Every structure is written in C-alpha cells, then in structure tokens.
Amino acid sequence: MKKIILLLMALGCFFTTANASKWKAEHVVMIGIDGWGAYSVPKADIPTIKQLMDSGCYTLKKRSVLPSESAINWASMFNGAGTEMHGYTTWGSRTPEIPSMVVNERGIFPTIYSLMYEQCPQAETGCMFEWEGIKYLVDTLAISHVAQAMGYNEQPDQLCCMAETYIKEKKPNFVAVCFDQLDHVGHVDGHDTPAYYRMLNTLDGYVARIIAALKDAGIYDDTIIILTSDHGGINKGHGGITLAEMEIPFIIAGKNVKQGGAFQETMMQFDTASTIACIFGLKQPQAWIGRPMTQVFSK
Ligand SMILES: [Zn+2]
C-alpha cells in the first residue's frame, strides 16, 4: 500500500512537472554563504544581492539554531528541524551525536532532497559546495548531482564555474550552491572587517554570474533564487549567543515571489527547508517543524 501511495505521489508530481501547475517555479537555486551575518548587509557593497532584495522579499532576522555553528545549521537549513531533533550538535558533525528522532530508508534525517527524491523522482537536483562537511548532512543518495570544489586556493571561483556549467547543462529543478570562503575570512581576518567586506563583494560577483548562467540556460524567468547563510559571526569566531552570530539574511526573489521588501514574520533556520518544499508542493514529514514563508509568494 505504501508503495502504491508513493507511486501515486510520484505520478502526481510528474504530471505537475509537466503542467507546471502546482509548482511556484520550475527551478530553485539556493545560494548559501557560510558565515554571512545579517549585520553586514547594510554596510556591504553587494549590488547584485541588493537588487534581489529590491525585487523580492527578505528578512535580516532569520535565526540560526543553537549552537550557531556550521554543520548544525546547514543540517537545519536542509532538514527542517532543530538541533535536538536531527542530532547534529558540533561545527563539524558528520553523524548525529544525538540519534536523529527519525531516519528515512537511507538512514538519515529526511532533508529537502529526500522529499524531492521520494515525491518527485524525475526532478534534477544538485548540491555543490566547497566545504565537504555539507555532504554528510544532505542525503547524498537522494541527489542527482553532488559536487565539491576542491581547488579554491588555485582557482577561487571554481565553485561558481561548476555551478554555471551545471545550470546550463542540466537545468536543475533544485540546486544548492554553498560557498565557504567568507567563513574562513571571518576566522582569519575577523568578521565585520575590510577583508570580510571584500570577500562579500567577490561573492556578489559570483551571484551575478549564476544569474547570468540562468539567463543563458533560458530558465531565469521560471526560477526562484534564495540567498541565505548558516550563521554569522563576531570578532574571529561564532558559535555563541550574540545576534551577530545568530542573525542571518534570507532573501528570496523570482517567479511568483512578491516584490514585498522586508517581511516581519519570524523565520528560523529550519523554515528554509519548508519554504523550498512549499515551492515544489512537497508534503513535509511530521518530524519537520519548519514553517513555509508563504507570505512571500504572490500565488
Ligand atoms: Zn559555517
């Protein structure tokens, strides 16, 4: 019976894809910037990102879950749950230190990729990153294309190049592109420093290139772009309970997204996954506590 239900859900999604009637957009590109504190946005020279803020909706008060570390928050961003539930508790967790409250048939707390795989098996999905820690959190066996940029030191824009190529060749329905370098600058030079803002400006250029790739691929008008982060930072670190470490941007723009500016609703890290699930009409598991930011959509 369960198989029949899954088959029906998959078929429903197939026809949905064909008709594009229930999806708010055929494509979602989520760009994640590690260590991007919301405090930096007003001061930063990031014209492309500010253009997305002007054309869509955003909050500079999305909160990370605690502790405000990387693996914990990348996990919550993708899996719609809090630390106590998914069980990843340290900056570099590869397996949950607390057993996950539920696991799927691949043995991992269900992520947005798990939902796409089970409910829309025809969908093309990608997860691309510089920090390998992300691959332990996302349910890689449910993802069409997993790729790590290995050569940042020789080629700083390698991840951006990989994303451009993947978007043009595969026109993915959902891809997350996760940049790590801002977090490094935060640890070495410090947050809220000239070097930090220089790196943000560089990343803004990568965002512009990814948008150009969407236009080259002919899918820009049917795409929703999301920009967000795992956590912010203060001085040369993060993990604490200051708002500089916990408040992160969430920016969304594109097809069927209102030009609404800053929204006032509260948003948590785990609401990110639910918002993406909402775009694709995916039923979220009971174990998720994320709330979709439905107010940002025009329909
Ligand atoms: Zn991080």
Side-chain angles (χ1 to χ4, degrees):
M1 187 61 184
K2 190 180 167 202
K3 279 187 178 163
I4 293 171
I5 292 170
L6 278 175
L7 180 66
L8 287 173
M9 287 171 79
L11 278 174
C13 208
F14 173 76
F15 290 118
T16 300
T17 309
N19 298 329
S21 59
K22 286 191 182 166
W23 289 12
K24 298 184 191 302
E26 278 285 302
H27 310 276
V28 174
V29 176
M30 184 176 82
I31 299 171
I33 298 178
D34 203 307
W36 182 24
Y39 70 83
S40 69
V41 170
K43 294 184 264 183
D45 179 17
I46 44 174
T48 309
I49 292 171
K50 287 185 175 171
Q51 170 63 33
L52 289 171
M53 293 167 72
D54 285 343
S55 64
C57 295
Y58 67 91
T59 178
L60 297 182
K61 294 181 180 297
K62 187 178 95 165
R63 284 195 182 181
S64 67
V65 297
L66 291 175
S68 54
E69 298 278 12
S70 298
I72 299 153
N73 275 281
W74 287 110
S76 288
M77 190 190 308
F78 287 109
N79 73 20
T83 314
E84 306 89 342
M85 305 173 72
H86 58 59
Y88 301 95
T89 64
T90 75
W91 74 271
S93 295
R94 294 184 171 189
T95 54
E97 291 78 22
I98 306 168
S100 295
M101 291 183 82
V102 296
V103 293
N104 61 21
E105 53 194 22
R106 290 169 298 284
I108 191 167
F109 195 97
T111 72
I112 184 65
Y113 291 106
S114 318
L115 272 56
M116 286 290 273
Y117 180 72
E118 288 157 9
Q119 298 179 37
C120 300
Q122 292 83 6
E124 172 71 30
T125 58
C127 186
M128 318 181 80
F129 45 82
E130 292 172 323
W131 181 52
E132 70 163 352
I134 287 174
K135 74 181 176 193
Y136 302 101
L137 313 167
V138 289
D139 195 358
T140 49
L141 295 177
I143 304 174
S144 315
H145 181 70
V146 178
Q148 181 183 3
M150 305 287 284
Y152 176 84
N153 288 330
E154 297 79 42
Q155 186 191 345
D157 70 342
Q158 187 180 42
L159 180 62
C160 181
C161 290
M162 289 165 56
E164 290 172 303
T165 302
Y166 177 59
I167 287 167
K168 287 187 226 176
E169 288 184 355
K170 295 288 187 180
K171 300 179 173 53
N173 297 109
F174 173 59
V175 59
V177 186
C178 307
F179 291 96
D180 191 40
Q181 288 308 312
L182 189 66
D183 187 67
H184 280 275
V185 173
H187 286 295
V188 174
D189 298 279
H191 282 261
D192 204 16
T193 59
Y196 186 87
Y197 287 103
R198 277 197 299 277
M199 181 54 72
L200 263 177
N201 178 258
T202 298
L203 288 161
D204 187 78
Y206 297 161
V207 174
R209 283 173 53 181
I210 289 170
I211 290 172
L214 290 164
K215 290 178 178 171
D216 285 352
I219 60 174
Y220 179 73
D221 292 338
D222 207 354
T223 296
I224 290 174
I225 297 171
I226 293 171
L227 277 156
T228 194
S229 177
D230 55 345
H231 55 74
I234 191 166
N235 300 322
K236 289 187 176 177
H238 55 83
I241 57 169
T242 64
L243 291 182
E245 293 157 280
M246 292 177 63
E247 285 189 338
I248 43 192
F250 176 85
I251 301 162
I252 184 165
K255 189 174 185 191
N256 285 321
V257 177
K258 292 177 191 167
Q259 187 177 13
F263 60 81
Q264 303 306 314
E265 288 81 358
T266 63
M267 184 173 190
M268 284 294 300
Q269 187 65 274
F270 40 73
D271 298 328
T272 314
S274 294
T275 302
I276 299 166
C278 175
I279 293 170
F280 291 117
L282 301 169
K283 181 175 177 354
Q284 73 176 49
Q286 186 272 336
W288 283 21
I289 59 171
R291 306 157 299 168
M293 295 291 111
T294 54
Q295 75 279 2
V296 305
F297 300 113
S298 55
K299 74 167 193 179

